[in-house]
Amino acid sequence: MQSPATGELVKNAGAISWSHVESGEAALIARCASGDEAAYAELVGAHQRMVYGLALNLLGDPDEALDLSQEVFLRVFRTLSRFRGQSALRTWIYRIVINQARNRQRWWRRRRRGDQVSLDEYLGTFGDVASRQDVLPDRQLASKETAARIWQALDRLPFDQRTALILREIDGLRYEEIAFTLDVAIGTVKSRLTRARQALRAELQELRG
Amino acid sequence: MIPYLGCDGARGMLEASADGELGVHDQVVLEAHLRWCDTCRARLMDVRALGSALRLGAAASGAGQGRAASLAAMQDELLMRIRAEREQSLPVRCRAALADTRYLWPALGAPLAVVLCLCAATMVNRSVRSERPGSMAAILSVLASPGSDRNPLFLDSAMLAPRPLAGSALDIPADEAEFAVAAVVTREGRVVNYELLQPVHEQTGRPSAAAQPDDITALLELVRRSRFEPALVGGDPVAVNVVWLLARTTVKASAVAGSRRRRRPGQRRAGGAGASPRALVTLLSESVARMITPRGARSPSSASSNCSARESGIPSFG
């Protein structure tokens, strides 16, 4: 359904069928469910960077992120037989990552950026950010100071807002996928994104003086 | 023609536009607005700048040199754990256990024996814990609560004796009879555990059989229905042992020389001269109640209240 004034998409996040799962992915799932170890390795190899990156962004600690990634994949293999294609496999795995990270955060307060690699080290290793494909044309604004301040402000956001923004900006999930991952309505996703961006924009304006 | 879009409507579309979630029509309308509105354009740039900053920070935080090695090690370890978990999974272990049935019956029998032992222990425990009236625990429990209905006290000088409630007077069914009833007046004022004490003839020392069985039955029924204000110790009601003495006595007065009318000098005799004085004989036949109280026990009320006419039952305490 589409609102004529705003073009707002009102969709049911659960109304996704097996058509969202590609045929190759469905075959991989079937092989994993039958206990094929090669399929396990293939599935892990295809998604471990994504899982680790999201866990690292949510937890901020590389060791914790690795540990969480293992737990996520173990849970994926334990519950893969219950996967009914209600979403893409990637989105389903995202959902598990979010739930595991939320559970873990209840017990472990975040020690954000303690082991973070500095931006200078990153630039020295991988070159200028202008050479990266995922950097938008307004990269002049995204200096390292700006990025550091924005991430600090991101740390102070509530978990749900932070998660929605990370899934959108870093992992590039669509609203519909974020809604399924967080198990909320699409309107809730939009409101969380708006509130998170308002807080970060205030930080940005303060940075500009 | 592109419809007009104000700043309020445009601000609602900015984030969706930056996220690529805006429909084509709305995108065209928004871009037409952004061509002349610097404020909304700046807002859109801010949204995009935030995304760039976040992606830059994420790339930096995940750019550890050992990340690829760590991920490879994680994959190997993960596969090992999955393999071990499958080998140790319940169906696999069940199949392995059932492969050799020599261990099946001991494995089933041991838990069954434990369950039976637990049941037996529970039954024994419950039977021991249930308190019987004649058990030592019950006796100790009764002794530990003096003044209760099961452990009544004996009256002493510190107590306020039980008083019959108003309107609970007894009418002894027999004439010229005395009864003694041993009873317990409970905390609620009821009479329980009553027992008729057999009167003893003074000369023979044998039990006298003055009362008829019907009278005794009626008397005990009256005793059962009577109500008292309970004995009090420090203001708290307590159950007490009492001996209740019930008596109906006929008192016959002898002929009494009636008081003669004395006339004043000069006063005329009413009814004519020569009228003989009338002798007044009064026959009193009333139930008299007596209350025997121990030395020092406080009477609950004045003596007159205990000796009112027709009141025939007052407890006696030994």
Side-chain angles (χ1 to χ4, degrees), chain B residues 98-166:
Chain B
L98 293 175
D100 190 353
T101 55
R102 286 179 304 171
Y103 300 109
L104 177 62
W105 299 115
L108 293 177
L112 183 63
V114 170
V115 170
L116 289 176
C117 288
L118 287 176
C119 291
T122 304
M123 290 175 62
V124 169
N125 189 31
R126 294 181 82 180
S127 64
V128 167
R129 291 179 65 180
S130 60
E131 190 175 279
R132 296 175 184 171
S135 66
M136 182 61 73
I139 293 172
L140 291 176
S141 173
V142 169
L143 292 177
S145 57
S148 66
D149 292 348
R150 296 177 64 188
N151 185 16
L153 299 175
F154 290 99
L155 272 178
D156 58 22
S157 58
M159 290 184 186
L160 192 62
R163 292 156 291 175
L165 290 176

Side-chain angles (χ1 to χ4, degrees), chain B residues 260-279:
Chain B
R260 301 187 179 190
R261 281 187 166 182
R262 295 179 181 179
R263 287 174 298 173
R264 294 177 185 173
Q267 186 178 4
R268 294 181 62 185
R269 191 190 308 174
S276 61
R278 206 168 41 174

Side-chain angles (χ1 to χ4, degrees), chain A residues 148-193:
Chain A
R149 289 285 295 272
I150 294 300
W151 269 99
Q152 288 173 0
L154 185 70
D155 286 344
R156 295 192 291 270
L157 291 179
F159 181 82
D160 291 333
Q161 292 181 23
R162 189 170 70 238
T163 305
L165 197 58
I166 287 173
L167 289 175
R168 170 63 222 141
E169 294 291 2
I170 299 173
D171 294 284
L173 266 61
R174 291 179 288 115
Y175 289 170
E176 188 180 3
E177 294 172 319
I178 297 172
F180 177 83
T181 303
L182 301 180
D183 197 17
V184 295
I186 290 179
T188 307
V189 172
K190 290 180 182 177
S191 65
R192 287 179 184 176
L193 285 174

Side-chain angles (χ1 to χ4, degrees), chain B residues 52-77:
Chain B
S52 298
L54 289 173
R55 283 186 287 276
L56 180 63
S61 66
Q65 294 181 354
R67 192 183 76 164
S70 299
L71 290 178
M74 182 198 79
Q75 182 172 351
D76 295 338
E77 187 178 348

Side-chain angles (χ1 to χ4, degrees), chain B residues 205-226:
Chain B
R206 293 179 179 177
S208 64
Q212 298 299 318
D214 293 342
D215 295 340
I216 293 174
T217 303
L219 174 73
L220 292 181
E221 177 63 19
L222 291 173
V223 168
R224 188 184 65 80
R225 291 187 308 191
S226 59

Side-chain angles (χ1 to χ4, degrees), chain B residues 197-202 204-210:
Chain B
L197 302 179
Q198 191 75 18
V200 178
H201 197 276
E202 291 182 358
T204 62
R206 293 179 179 177
S208 64

